[in-house]
Amino acid sequence: MAIVFQKPHALTDAVLHYCPGCPHGIIHRLVAEAIDGLGIEGEAIGVAPVGCAVMAYDYFNCDMIEAAHGRAPATATGIKRCRPDNIVFTYQGDGDLASIGMAETVHAAARNENITVIFVNNAIYGMTGGQMAPTSLPGQVTQTSPYGRDVKHCGWPIKVCELLATLEGPEYIARVAVNNVKNVKAAGKAIRKAFQNQIDKKGFSLIEVISACPTNWGMTPQKALEWVESDMIPYYPLGVYKDRSAAKEEEAK
Amino acid sequence: MKTTQILIAGFGGQGILFAGKFLAYKGLLEDLQVSWLPSYGPEMRGGTANCNVILSDDPVGSPIVTKPDVLIVMNLPSLQKYVDTVVPGGQIYVDSTLINEKVARTDVETYYIPATQMANDAGVPTLANMVMMGCVLKNNPNLTFDGTAETMAKLVPPKKANLVELNMKALEAGRDYEG
Amino acid sequence: MAERVLMKGNEAIAEAAIRAGCRHYFGYPITPQTEVAAYMAKKMPKIGGVFLQAESEIASINMVYGAAAAGMRVMTSSSSPGISLKSEGLSYIAGSDVPAFVVNVQRGGPGLGGIQPSQSDYFQATKGGGHGDYHMIVLAPASVQEMASLTIKGFNLADKYLMTSMILADGTIGQMMEPITFEDAEIETYDKPWALTGTKMQRPHNIVNSLYLKPDELEQKNFQRYEKYAVVEENEPMWEEYRMEDAELCVVAFGIASRVAKNAVAAARAEGIKVGLIRPITLWPFPKKALRAAADQVKAFVSVELNMGQMIDDVRLAIECKRPVSLCNRAGGMIPSPDQVLESIRKAQKGEN
């Protein structure tokens, strides 16, 4: 009997610690499928963040390192500069990448560091129990914005793709979501492209994945996915924000 | 040789550190123990600069010159600041183009050299520092002018070989100055 | 015999690091260590190495962390305020047991402080610096030659013990030029089966990590690390003794302070005072045995430091407070003069503090 569906080899057998209904499992799977599909597990080195995905080093079968909070792009830079033939990726959340690690993110992108960044945006600090993130929406209630995010007091959310797309440096910047089958499929394609770009030595690729946090949003998983569609995606539109190679091809035509 | 502690001081941009480097390289080629310590800081040009050089047969202890045997000054603030630190019997070399004051101390040997003027006259206006060095090498009993050309050749990168000749011109002008 | 060349201390570190096999440098500009970066920027591209100016000290130490985890000889250099920023990464490197080489060419503090030479990061360097229980091997050069030799030693020790080796120099030693000869570096090589190389689908995945959520596991990791530290403390202390053979007084000083102290010891000897010097070359592990032995010989110690009195604590601990220890110091970027040290020796001779 033909096997039509199985766990990707690039994922270990460890049981994920994520909450019920958390899309991290889907995103891990998409990353692992890309690694399997491109046949790069033996060369891959992953950098885990501080945040909900902190134990990602137990979940991916490739070599892994645990970075300090926000520093994954710097740590990945160190690895990639030593081992340019390996495939180096980071897996980071919004607090890690867009708050404490913003400098490392922007500069790795500006250098067009040949790494792949998977950026999971669920608009909240999950690991620490639901505090306001740099990507929390205006008016969003969190533990540290109990009356809703007041932009006059604590500023506006950061749109990472839009920001990074202004830089000359990066190769590929795209935003995807995992709230329905269609979007999951598109996300898988984008993630695979982000790894392919690295194999092709094109440079820095970042995929922002709009995710959900049912636990800290205080919603059922189903309701959380609906909120992604109704509130998150309108604020963070999906699409390709920068694709240098495609732009060049377009120009050539 | 007797341990010789040298302090060179002036404005940034006068080549104070280079003059010290020249002495240090000369010591190196003479197989002496050498230390060279610059003042460092944000004042790249126009601020005060000084340089400590120690030449000795024995290992150099502290590289910091607190009681110089030889003081070379190329501006007035430096003379005022360091004149009293020179050991009795030591030497003070003064660029008299830039410093009008005389040294009041009588327990030191003082040389007044219009180095900046001489460098201008010789067509090497940026090399007053080396005019001073030429005079020091001639007049200090522990130092010698011998080996100067070899030192310059070592000190100046091959790309700037033309500078060797200009520096030698300045050094010789200082050596030949009769005060 | 290798050629004698004149070189700045900072440049000697860079050249020695390259000779030690370091091909990866990540840094951020700060006075008074910038010559290290400048030298690397010039040399690395020509020898197939990597020089990368990072966006911050924090980024650079985390690049070092990644490169170390990848199994490479790697370094960064900075000065006091920059080392504070690097402390986070130093703690992660310690917690992950990977080898790194870090240079601190100290300047006066706290805060932005000044840019003149200082030894006021002694506590930070020898007691850990960042969060958590850990140590670094701390090497204190007193000459340009030692800037080079201790750099090579530092890389070897880091690989041997899977720790950070730190050169704790100061602005004077970094900026001064002295003659130096580069003998062939003795490079010790150690297998790094833990390194991130990619599994090649031939082994279980390697994980470089400092996170242990189970406290009993984390306790065991700490215990194991301290067993290693005990070996380092037993085997690796380095120090120099100068005129100690008949000494009745002992000056303790490291780095630039020891150079000043040597002048003072010579001057005191000329006055007939029997004084010697112990110069710790490793500040961690501290040469406790040498000092403990000296305590049975001399009647008093003088600790000479460019800070408000930091090493003096370790001197007192090492000699178990058996003898009085007085402090001779300047701070904020000032350096004690030989006369000041001589005066402290005279006082100690008279039994004054």
Side-chain angles (χ1 to χ4, degrees):
Chain A
M1 196 165 53
I3 296 169
V4 294
F5 190 79
Q6 62 183 341
K7 182 180 71 63
H9 188 273
L11 283 183
T12 65
D13 290 333
V15 177
L16 304 188
H17 71 283
Y18 299 110
C19 302
C22 173
H24 264 307
I26 299 172
I27 304 164
H28 277 33
R29 179 181 181 91
L30 294 176
V31 171
E33 282 177 352
I35 291 172
D36 276 15
L38 295 166
I40 54 174
E41 185 190 317
E43 306 308 319
I45 299 173
V47 186
V50 172
C52 282
V54 70
M55 282 183 291
Y57 53 77
D58 276 337
Y59 305 146
F60 290 105
N61 239 332
C62 57
D63 278 359
M64 293 293 295
I65 182 170
E66 170 57 41
H69 198 22
R71 317 300 175 217
T75 303
T77 296
I79 298 166
K80 187 70 182 181
R81 295 288 179 131
C82 287
R83 300 199 176 277
D85 295 331
N86 284 82
I87 301 301
V88 181
F89 70 96
T90 73
Y91 187 107
Q92 304 173 255
D94 42 59
D96 190 86
L97 181 138
S99 190
I100 193 167
M102 189 51 117
E104 286 79 1
T105 304
V106 169
H107 283 269
R111 288 193 302 266
N112 199 27
E113 206 65 56
N114 191 25
I115 59 173
T116 302
V117 174
I118 308 301
F119 165 39
V120 180
N121 177 3
N122 60 7
I124 205 152
Y125 283 80
M127 178 63 121
T128 43
Q131 294 81 28
M132 187 182 73
T135 52
S136 293
L137 297 184
Q140 188 179 336
V141 173
T142 73
Q143 199 183 60
T144 49
S145 57
Y147 311 111
R149 179 175 188 150
D150 177 0
V151 294
K152 278 185 283 189
H153 168 65
C154 52
W156 294 83
I158 293 174
K159 297 179 175 182
V160 170
C161 286
E162 287 85 338
L163 188 152
L164 294 181
T166 65
L167 299 174
E168 286 294 319
E171 164 68 20
Y172 185 67
I173 307 287
R175 184 181 288 130
V176 298
V178 288
N179 62 320
N180 59 43
V181 175
K182 182 170 151 270
N183 282 347
V184 169
K185 281 193 159 174
K189 262 190 172 169
I191 289 170
R192 183 171 167 130
K193 182 175 171 65
F195 278 102
Q196 184 66 50
N197 284 344
Q198 185 177 165
I199 295 168
D200 297 341
K201 301 197 186 302
K202 285 181 174 171
F204 185 90
S205 299
L206 178 143
I207 307 299
E208 176 175 345
V209 184
I210 301 297
S211 186
C213 184
T215 301
N216 289 301
W217 291 357
M219 299 178 189
T220 63
Q222 182 57 38
K223 182 83 182 82
L225 294 180
E226 286 168 26
W227 197 75
V228 167
E229 193 68 37
S230 64
D231 288 71
M232 287 280 283
I233 291 177
Y235 200 88
Y236 297 110
L238 307 186
V240 176
Y241 284 81
K242 186 164 191 224
D243 186 343
R244 186 170 32 226
S245 297
K248 266 190 200 158
E249 278 168 31
E250 195 63 28
E251 228 170 75
K253 280 179 198 163
Chain B
M1 73 179 286
K2 180 180 166 294
T3 298
T4 305
Q5 307 213 9
I6 303 160
L7 175 59
I8 313 171
F11 290 121
Q14 282 182 316
I16 300 295
L17 302 189
F18 183 84
K21 235 178 197 177
F22 165 75
L23 290 180
Y25 269 88
K26 199 159 180 304
L28 178 79
L29 294 185
E30 289 162 12
D31 272 332
L32 296 172
Q33 300 293 334
V34 175
S35 72
W36 173 91
L37 177 67
S39 62
Y40 61 88
E43 295 151 329
M44 298 289 280
R45 294 284 180 274
T48 58
N50 71 71
C51 179
N52 298 182
V53 178
I54 300 176
L55 303 170
S56 180
D57 284 329
D58 304 315
V60 176
S62 171
I64 301 147
V65 174
T66 49
K67 297 175 184 171
D69 301 298
V70 183
L71 172 67
I72 301 145
V73 284
M74 296 186 66
N75 67 6
L76 182 59
S78 295
L79 174 63
Q80 291 167 335
K81 184 171 177 187
Y82 296 117
V83 64
D84 292 331
T85 64
V86 178
V87 297
Q91 297 182 320
I92 301 178
Y93 294 83
V94 177
D95 183 342
S96 58
T97 310
L98 302 176
I99 304 170
N100 293 323
E101 253 177 44
K102 297 287 174 197
V103 173
R105 284 179 62 176
T106 54
D107 61 342
V108 292
E109 281 177 39
T110 307
Y111 298 82
Y112 299 96
I113 315 105
T116 297
Q117 186 61 51
M118 289 167 64
N120 281 334
D121 294 347
V124 285
T126 57
L127 293 178
N129 57 340
M130 302 315 282
V131 174
M132 296 295 286
M133 288 303 114
C135 188
V136 173
L137 291 181
K138 182 190 172 194
N139 292 298
N140 188 284
N142 292 318
L143 305 175
T144 164
F145 200 87
D146 299 344
T148 299
E150 291 80 353
T151 304
M152 281 316 306
K154 173 113 184 150
L155 190 52
V156 175
K159 271 188 285 187
K160 299 179 180 173
N162 60 316
L163 292 181
V164 173
E165 199 184 319
L166 298 177
N167 275 282
M168 286 307 296
K169 200 170 167 185
L171 282 158
E172 283 159 8
R175 177 193 63 190
D176 299 337
Y177 177 69
E178 302 289 343
Chain C
M1 179 82 180
E3 190 194 358
R4 221 167 66 119
V5 293
L6 261 186
M7 217 174 208
K8 277 192 167 191
N10 286 337
E11 294 166 341
I13 284 177
E15 177 61 28
I18 290 169
R19 285 168 186 258
C22 173
R23 290 294 178 276
H24 297 87
Y25 174 96
F26 303 96
Y28 186 83
I30 185 170
T31 303
Q33 65 76 49
T34 308
E35 290 85 359
V36 184
Y39 196 93
M40 290 302 196
K42 219 171 180 178
K43 281 284 170 80
M44 282 300 196
K46 293 184 177 168
I47 55 171
V50 171
F51 163 84
L52 186 62
Q53 182 169 320
E55 58 269 31
S56 67
E57 280 97 348
I58 295 172
S60 67
I61 192 67
N62 283 285
M63 290 173 185
V64 168
Y65 172 45
M72 299 297 180
R73 284 200 158 178
V74 58
M75 71 174 287
T76 185
S77 60
S78 192
S79 180
S80 309
I83 296 295
S84 290
L85 287 165
K86 289 184 196 290
S87 296
E88 175 195 62
L90 292 173
S91 175
Y92 277 71
I93 287 166
S96 305
D97 300 299
V98 293
F101 180 74
V102 176
V103 176
N104 180 1
V105 183
Q106 296 167 94
R107 51 189 262 184
L112 200 48
I115 58 168
Q116 298 306 318
S118 173
Q119 297 179 330
S120 54
D121 303 343
Y122 179 93
F123 282 153
Q124 186 193 43
T126 60
K127 312 299 176 191
H131 61 283
D133 276 316
Y134 75 91
H135 279 292
M136 301 181 289
I137 293 168
V138 183
L139 303 157
S143 65
V144 173
Q145 186 72 57
E146 272 192 353
M147 288 288 244
S149 61
L150 292 180
T151 291
I152 289 160
K153 178 104 188 160
F155 274 103
N156 287 338
L157 288 173
D159 278 354
K160 184 175 181 182
Y161 293 106
L162 302 182
M163 293 175 67
T164 294
S165 290
M166 175 180 275
I167 292 273
L168 193 69
D170 66 80
T172 312
I173 305 283
Q175 292 293 327
M176 70 186 282
M177 285 202 303
E178 284 184 317
I180 170 174
T181 50
F182 285 99
E183 306 294 343
D184 287 340
E186 277 183 40
I187 300 176
E188 298 169 13
T189 46
Y190 298 88
D191 285 342
K192 297 181 175 178
W194 44 265
L196 306 177
T197 59
T199 63
K200 315 293 176 199
M201 308 305 273
Q202 283 168 1
R203 57 161 171 78
H205 67 162
N206 282 340
I207 299 174
V208 174
N209 177 37
S210 61
L211 178 68
Y212 296 88
L213 288 174
K214 294 182 181 132
D216 52 339
E217 270 182 42
L218 182 54
E219 183 186 46
Q220 283 307 317
K221 288 304 286 188
N222 275 283
F223 285 166
Q224 286 162 15
R225 200 167 291 124
Y226 270 70
E227 282 168 20
K228 173 172 81 181
Y229 291 164
V231 175
V232 177
E233 289 203 83
E234 182 60 31
N235 294 339
E236 306 299 346
M238 293 168 65
W239 69 96
E240 179 198 353
E241 295 190 10
Y242 173 70
R243 308 197 71 169
M244 278 298 292
E245 53 290 340
D246 61 343
E248 293 168 1
L249 293 170
C250 177
V251 175
V252 188
F254 69 95
I256 186 62
S258 71
R259 300 277 296 252
V260 177
K262 273 189 183 174
N263 286 22
V265 165
R269 285 269 174 180
E271 291 180 6
I273 301 174
K274 288 185 175 173
V275 56
L277 169 78
I278 293 182
R279 172 172 75 92
I281 298 172
T282 53
L283 300 179
W284 197 93
F286 196 67
K288 291 179 194 167
K289 284 182 186 167
L291 283 154
R292 180 65 188 77
D296 293 333
Q297 176 187 333
V298 304
K299 61 183 183 184
F301 291 80
V302 179
S303 187
V304 183
E305 304 181 52
L306 275 64
N307 56 47
M308 293 308 294
Q310 299 191 18
M311 181 181 67
I312 191 171
D313 287 2
D314 282 337
V315 175
R316 286 185 175 126
L317 282 171
I319 66 167
E320 295 160 8
C321 296
K322 279 178 185 290
R323 299 281 180 263
V325 187
S326 57
L327 177 67
C328 173
N329 71 319
R330 295 295 297 270
M334 300 300 290
I335 301 176
S337 68
D339 283 349
Q340 184 188 345
V341 181
L342 177 60
E343 190 52 36
S344 293
I345 293 170
R346 287 183 189 133
K347 279 187 179 172
Q349 168 77 351
K350 287 182 218 149
E352 298 167 15
N353 258 320

